[in-house]
Amino acid sequence: MSATVPIADALKVSCSSCNLRELCLPVGLSHDDLARLDELKLVRKAVPRGGELFRCGDRFESLYAVRTGFFKTCLGSEDGRDQVTGFQMAGELLGLDGIGTGVHGVDAVALEDSQVCVISYREIGELGQQFPQLQQQLHRILSREIVRDHGVMLLLGSMRAEERLAAFLLNLAQRLKARGFSSTALVLRMTREEIGSYLGLKLETVSRTFSKFQEEGLLAVKQRDIRILDEAGLQRLVNGAGC
Amino acid sequence: MSATVPIADALKVSCSSCNLRELCLPVGLSHDDLARLDELKLVRKAVPRGGELFRCGDRFESLYAVRTGFFKTCLGSEDGRDQVTGFQMAGELLGLDGIGTGVHGVDAVALEDSQVCVISYREIGELGQQFPQLQQQLHRILSREIVRDHGVMLLLGSMRAEERLAAFLLNLAQRLKARGFSSTALVLRMTREEIGSYLGLKLETVSRTFSKFQEEGLLAVKQRDIRILDEAGLQRLVNGAGC
DNA sequence: CGGGGATTTGAGCGCATTCAAACGCAGTGG
DNA sequence: CCACTGCGTTTGAATGCGCTCAAATCCCCG
């Protein structure tokens, strides 16, 4: 099935009126710039649960900002092996890895019914000439993605299963908190298998580790509903494991 | 021409005369643009073996392009744990992860006596306004770094020791080849421990895997001198392992 | 209410790790 | 010239964490 939806003018949105602007590309722009930035007529696009926003190998033309919903990005190698490289929630950008090659390097799949803003990369380039701040901001976002990836590399390269899951949950909670949601009660949008793929673990290990955290009183786990009971305890697992 | 700090002319270098320009930031610039780009008076800086170009936490002000030599970047977490996040050779950029936060997020250490070009990020921003191509190129480089990191994440998350080392060696060989060096005879600039840190393995495992590759006729290993005897065999390890 | 995917839990195994010891090599000083 | 030292590397043996295989259970959704 195709995720594409016929686009109507009614779906156009502007950054200046978006309640996600503090989390999204326009961060750091002056109010004036932001108003003028609305020349960048953003098109909204809906992606149903399970739908693909783009696929590995598709030509890169746009960045996508998540307005609502939740995505995963998957890297697939030539053989069957594939891996989740990230989860994206409201305000986060998708498609950054396509800039370098002109081709998307991952699949982007909606884990729930979602909406994104389609940001033409060509237009961004042109507007960047007028708004140095915007240019700068794109640099910053790209750079932060690199920093984020380094964090994942540290996780994958030197943490044990419990530490990985603890770090994952804390990161998720922190991002939810930044969006005004509860940072202790979270509903996981992804399966155990997808968590495992992201963390370099098998789904059984993820499940077992959830159970262990529950036994230890760190979490209350009911399928995909997670309540964090001892945030400090999780943090200790991540930091203090080397001691 | 602006007032300049008294820097010995001998240390000034220009991109247009650099034999690394095809591998470095100016890739894709027209000849004219390249000539004008020399306004960006690059300063060369020497870093002795073991010296730190910058440290995690240092304020970010410049990007660095490796002219000669070899670097590693290390991510250190609050506890003792630290991890090598990458190795950089001639033509590759260092410091990209500092753009987002204004602070370097890794240590950059020279693994042999090296020279770098110091590229003021402020100047890059200004020149980017005049040379859209340069701006684009920086985007591409940042994006490619993200793609590279995704590759490492795949490696760390889903490969076994042999596959990791094979992928590492092939990547190194390919980069050396692009620089005109032999792609079959390589001298490792890093220790087994640093390789292991990068690959998420212990140094003993790295050493054992080297020995195994030698027994199998894939490599000739003499300490840090490696000769690749069966490139296709290594490639098979990386790709076909899932089958 | 039934079917199918997701999750949980158990048992046994294997790969990478840990701990330990020996070796090679470069640099230093007697 | 050789002994000595320090560091990196190699190799061995035993351990353990996460994986594989398997079965039972839960839950969503038609």
mmCIF file with all atom_site columns, all heavy atoms in Angstrom, chain B residues 92-103:
data_model
loop_
_atom_site.group_PDB
_atom_site.id
_atom_site.type_symbol
_atom_site.label_atom_id
_atom_site.label_alt_id
_atom_site.label_comp_id
_atom_site.label_asym_id
_atom_site.label_entity_id
_atom_site.label_seq_id
_atom_site.pdbx_PDB_ins_code
_atom_site.Cartn_x
_atom_site.Cartn_y
_atom_site.Cartn_z
_atom_site.occupancy
_atom_site.B_iso_or_equiv
_atom_site.pdbx_formal_charge
_atom_site.auth_seq_id
_atom_site.auth_comp_id
_atom_site.auth_asym_id
_atom_site.auth_atom_id
_atom_site.pdbx_PDB_model_num
ATOM 1  N N   . GLU B 1 92  ? 39.983 14.518 5.474  1.00 0.00 ? 92  GLU B N   1
ATOM 2  C CA  . GLU B 1 92  ? 38.754 14.379 6.250  1.00 0.00 ? 92  GLU B CA  1
ATOM 3  C C   . GLU B 1 92  ? 38.665 15.468 7.315  1.00 0.00 ? 92  GLU B C   1
ATOM 4  O O   . GLU B 1 92  ? 39.682 15.973 7.805  1.00 0.00 ? 92  GLU B O   1
ATOM 5  C CB  . GLU B 1 92  ? 38.680 12.974 6.854  1.00 0.00 ? 92  GLU B CB  1
ATOM 6  C CG  . GLU B 1 92  ? 38.590 11.925 5.743  1.00 0.00 ? 92  GLU B CG  1
ATOM 7  C CD  . GLU B 1 92  ? 38.602 10.488 6.214  1.00 0.00 ? 92  GLU B CD  1
ATOM 8  O OE1 . GLU B 1 92  ? 39.172 10.191 7.290  1.00 0.00 ? 92  GLU B OE1 1
ATOM 9  O OE2 . GLU B 1 92  ? 38.073 9.653  5.505  1.00 0.00 ? 92  GLU B OE2 1
ATOM 10 N N   . LEU B 1 93  ? 37.429 15.807 7.657  1.00 0.00 ? 93  LEU B N   1
ATOM 11 C CA  . LEU B 1 93  ? 37.200 16.926 8.571  1.00 0.00 ? 93  LEU B CA  1
ATOM 12 C C   . LEU B 1 93  ? 37.012 16.466 10.014 1.00 0.00 ? 93  LEU B C   1
ATOM 13 O O   . LEU B 1 93  ? 36.426 15.424 10.289 1.00 0.00 ? 93  LEU B O   1
ATOM 14 C CB  . LEU B 1 93  ? 35.943 17.693 8.117  1.00 0.00 ? 93  LEU B CB  1
ATOM 15 C CG  . LEU B 1 93  ? 36.186 19.009 7.372  1.00 0.00 ? 93  LEU B CG  1
ATOM 16 C CD1 . LEU B 1 93  ? 37.224 18.844 6.301  1.00 0.00 ? 93  LEU B CD1 1
ATOM 17 C CD2 . LEU B 1 93  ? 34.888 19.553 6.797  1.00 0.00 ? 93  LEU B CD2 1
ATOM 18 N N   . LEU B 1 94  ? 37.491 17.287 10.920 1.00 0.00 ? 94  LEU B N   1
ATOM 19 C CA  . LEU B 1 94  ? 37.342 17.044 12.350 1.00 0.00 ? 94  LEU B CA  1
ATOM 20 C C   . LEU B 1 94  ? 36.574 18.198 12.987 1.00 0.00 ? 94  LEU B C   1
ATOM 21 O O   . LEU B 1 94  ? 36.762 19.350 12.604 1.00 0.00 ? 94  LEU B O   1
ATOM 22 C CB  . LEU B 1 94  ? 38.727 16.961 13.010 1.00 0.00 ? 94  LEU B CB  1
ATOM 23 C CG  . LEU B 1 94  ? 39.491 15.656 12.834 1.00 0.00 ? 94  LEU B CG  1
ATOM 24 C CD1 . LEU B 1 94  ? 40.976 15.882 13.073 1.00 0.00 ? 94  LEU B CD1 1
ATOM 25 C CD2 . LEU B 1 94  ? 38.955 14.609 13.795 1.00 0.00 ? 94  LEU B CD2 1
ATOM 26 N N   . GLY B 1 95  ? 35.734 17.877 13.948 1.00 0.00 ? 95  GLY B N   1
ATOM 27 C CA  . GLY B 1 95  ? 35.071 18.915 14.723 1.00 0.00 ? 95  GLY B CA  1
ATOM 28 C C   . GLY B 1 95  ? 33.624 19.168 14.351 1.00 0.00 ? 95  GLY B C   1
ATOM 29 O O   . GLY B 1 95  ? 32.980 20.032 14.952 1.00 0.00 ? 95  GLY B O   1
ATOM 30 N N   . LEU B 1 96  ? 33.115 18.422 13.391 1.00 0.00 ? 96  LEU B N   1
ATOM 31 C CA  . LEU B 1 96  ? 31.746 18.655 12.911 1.00 0.00 ? 96  LEU B CA  1
ATOM 32 C C   . LEU B 1 96  ? 30.709 18.576 14.030 1.00 0.00 ? 96  LEU B C   1
ATOM 33 O O   . LEU B 1 96  ? 29.683 19.255 13.980 1.00 0.00 ? 96  LEU B O   1
ATOM 34 C CB  . LEU B 1 96  ? 31.390 17.614 11.838 1.00 0.00 ? 96  LEU B CB  1
ATOM 35 C CG  . LEU B 1 96  ? 32.220 17.660 10.556 1.00 0.00 ? 96  LEU B CG  1
ATOM 36 C CD1 . LEU B 1 96  ? 31.907 16.463 9.685  1.00 0.00 ? 96  LEU B CD1 1
ATOM 37 C CD2 . LEU B 1 96  ? 31.941 18.961 9.816  1.00 0.00 ? 96  LEU B CD2 1
ATOM 38 N N   . ASP B 1 97  ? 30.987 17.747 15.016 1.00 0.00 ? 97  ASP B N   1
ATOM 39 C CA  . ASP B 1 97  ? 29.992 17.554 16.075 1.00 0.00 ? 97  ASP B CA  1
ATOM 40 C C   . ASP B 1 97  ? 29.928 18.752 17.024 1.00 0.00 ? 97  ASP B C   1
ATOM 41 O O   . ASP B 1 97  ? 29.053 18.804 17.884 1.00 0.00 ? 97  ASP B O   1
ATOM 42 C CB  . ASP B 1 97  ? 30.320 16.291 16.861 1.00 0.00 ? 97  ASP B CB  1
ATOM 43 C CG  . ASP B 1 97  ? 31.667 16.404 17.537 1.00 0.00 ? 97  ASP B CG  1
ATOM 44 O OD1 . ASP B 1 97  ? 32.675 16.498 16.816 1.00 0.00 ? 97  ASP B OD1 1
ATOM 45 O OD2 . ASP B 1 97  ? 31.712 16.441 18.779 1.00 0.00 ? 97  ASP B OD2 1
ATOM 46 N N   . GLY B 1 98  ? 30.838 19.711 16.862 1.00 0.00 ? 98  GLY B N   1
ATOM 47 C CA  . GLY B 1 98  ? 30.805 20.872 17.744 1.00 0.00 ? 98  GLY B CA  1
ATOM 48 C C   . GLY B 1 98  ? 29.863 21.966 17.288 1.00 0.00 ? 98  GLY B C   1
ATOM 49 O O   . GLY B 1 98  ? 29.496 22.847 18.063 1.00 0.00 ? 98  GLY B O   1
ATOM 50 N N   . ILE B 1 99  ? 29.453 21.910 16.023 1.00 0.00 ? 99  ILE B N   1
ATOM 51 C CA  . ILE B 1 99  ? 28.617 22.973 15.470 1.00 0.00 ? 99  ILE B CA  1
ATOM 52 C C   . ILE B 1 99  ? 27.317 23.121 16.242 1.00 0.00 ? 99  ILE B C   1
ATOM 53 O O   . ILE B 1 99  ? 26.878 24.232 16.543 1.00 0.00 ? 99  ILE B O   1
ATOM 54 C CB  . ILE B 1 99  ? 28.316 22.686 13.976 1.00 0.00 ? 99  ILE B CB  1
ATOM 55 C CG1 . ILE B 1 99  ? 29.608 22.718 13.154 1.00 0.00 ? 99  ILE B CG1 1
ATOM 56 C CG2 . ILE B 1 99  ? 27.311 23.698 13.430 1.00 0.00 ? 99  ILE B CG2 1
ATOM 57 C CD1 . ILE B 1 99  ? 29.414 22.309 11.696 1.00 0.00 ? 99  ILE B CD1 1
ATOM 58 N N   . GLY B 1 100 ? 26.719 21.988 16.558 1.00 0.00 ? 100 GLY B N   1
ATOM 59 C CA  . GLY B 1 100 ? 25.392 22.006 17.158 1.00 0.00 ? 100 GLY B CA  1
ATOM 60 C C   . GLY B 1 100 ? 25.342 22.639 18.527 1.00 0.00 ? 100 GLY B C   1
ATOM 61 O O   . GLY B 1 100 ? 24.406 23.365 18.860 1.00 0.00 ? 100 GLY B O   1
ATOM 62 N N   . THR B 1 101 ? 26.356 22.378 19.323 1.00 0.00 ? 101 THR B N   1
ATOM 63 C CA  . THR B 1 101 ? 26.333 22.815 20.712 1.00 0.00 ? 101 THR B CA  1
ATOM 64 C C   . THR B 1 101 ? 27.301 23.960 20.989 1.00 0.00 ? 101 THR B C   1
ATOM 65 O O   . THR B 1 101 ? 27.239 24.577 22.053 1.00 0.00 ? 101 THR B O   1
ATOM 66 C CB  . THR B 1 101 ? 26.728 21.651 21.640 1.00 0.00 ? 101 THR B CB  1
ATOM 67 O OG1 . THR B 1 101 ? 28.031 21.198 21.251 1.00 0.00 ? 101 THR B OG1 1
ATOM 68 C CG2 . THR B 1 101 ? 25.739 20.509 21.510 1.00 0.00 ? 101 THR B CG2 1
ATOM 69 N N   . GLY B 1 102 ? 28.214 24.210 20.059 1.00 0.00 ? 102 GLY B N   1
ATOM 70 C CA  . GLY B 1 102 ? 29.238 25.216 20.307 1.00 0.00 ? 102 GLY B CA  1
ATOM 71 C C   . GLY B 1 102 ? 30.362 24.697 21.183 1.00 0.00 ? 102 GLY B C   1
ATOM 72 O O   . GLY B 1 102 ? 31.260 25.445 21.567 1.00 0.00 ? 102 GLY B O   1
ATOM 73 N N   . VAL B 1 103 ? 30.301 23.421 21.479 1.00 0.00 ? 103 VAL B N   1
ATOM 74 C CA  . VAL B 1 103 ? 31.328 22.803 22.318 1.00 0.00 ? 103 VAL B CA  1
ATOM 75 C C   . VAL B 1 103 ? 31.714 21.472 21.677 1.00 0.00 ? 103 VAL B C   1
ATOM 76 O O   . VAL B 1 103 ? 30.849 20.734 21.205 1.00 0.00 ? 103 VAL B O   1
ATOM 77 C CB  . VAL B 1 103 ? 30.772 22.539 23.741 1.00 0.00 ? 103 VAL B CB  1
ATOM 78 C CG1 . VAL B 1 103 ? 31.740 21.706 24.552 1.00 0.00 ? 103 VAL B CG1 1
ATOM 79 C CG2 . VAL B 1 103 ? 30.458 23.848 24.439 1.00 0.00 ? 103 VAL B CG2 1
#
